[in-house]
Amino acid sequence: MHLETDLANIDDVTHDQLRAELSRLGDGSDRAILSIDGSTYIQTAVFGNGLVVEKREGGGEETHFHAVPRHPELPPAKPKPKRLWWQKLFAHDPDLTSECAFTLAEVQQIFADYLAGRTSDLPKQWDQGYCDR
């Protein structure tokens, strides 16, 4: 499988390489995609309270799913800074949080299971579409 992050592109990624690159998320890298091909992959992105996980199962939008965690929403990793009114209107909020956020350890397990060809039992379920909450 191929691993792509903001800091690395690795063909035939090993378990150790996967774990190491996922550990760099939030520290210079905000996303990771582990792919079989261009339409079959699992991906994660950094949010202010953890990482969101999505997958696509070999097709278009109808085969795109997001993982729903078993635990309640994670709290923000740090307090949100006060933003000026114009920043709220025009600037991207780097501290967005998500109800669908997982911890790094959970994401490492989900990705390790995917690399091994197993379905992870960590997500409560996979809901169709993107996690927009």
Side-chain angles (χ1 to χ4, degrees), residues 93-128:
D93 184 357
D95 298 308
L96 287 176
T97 60
S98 174
E99 291 177 15
C100 299
F102 290 83
T103 66
L104 175 60
E106 290 170 325
V107 170
Q108 287 176 322
Q109 183 61 53
I110 293 167
F111 271 60
D113 288 340
Y114 191 82
L115 182 63
R118 296 185 302 261
T119 301
S120 183
D121 62 355
L122 282 177
K124 177 180 177 183
Q125 62 197 42
W126 290 94
D127 286 352
Q128 192 168 19

Side-chain angles (χ1 to χ4, degrees), residues 31-132:
R31 63 181 181 84
I33 303 167
L34 182 60
S35 60
I36 296 170
D37 59 44
S39 62
T40 308
Y41 56 82
I42 192 164
Q43 64 186 6
T44 189
V46 176
F47 277 71
N49 62 334
L51 301 133
V52 172
V53 178
E54 297 176 339
K55 69 178 179 177
R56 182 162 292 187
E57 297 179 333
E61 296 294 317
E62 71 281 356
T63 67
H64 195 95
F65 301 88
H66 66 274
V68 178
R70 296 182 185 282
H71 52 70
E73 183 176 350
L74 298 173
K78 60 185 178 190
K80 285 190 172 194
K82 192 152 183 120
R83 298 175 66 198
L84 301 172
W85 68 268
W86 61 269
Q87 289 173 314
K88 292 177 185 176
L89 285 176
F90 301 112
H92 170 71
D93 184 357
D95 298 308
L96 287 176
T97 60
S98 174
E99 291 177 15
C100 299
F102 290 83
T103 66
L104 175 60
E106 290 170 325
V107 170
Q108 287 176 322
Q109 183 61 53
I110 293 167
F111 271 60
D113 288 340
Y114 191 82
L115 182 63
R118 296 185 302 261
T119 301
S120 183
D121 62 355
L122 282 177
K124 177 180 177 183
Q125 62 197 42
W126 290 94
D127 286 352
Q128 192 168 19
Y130 300 85
C131 184
D132 56 3

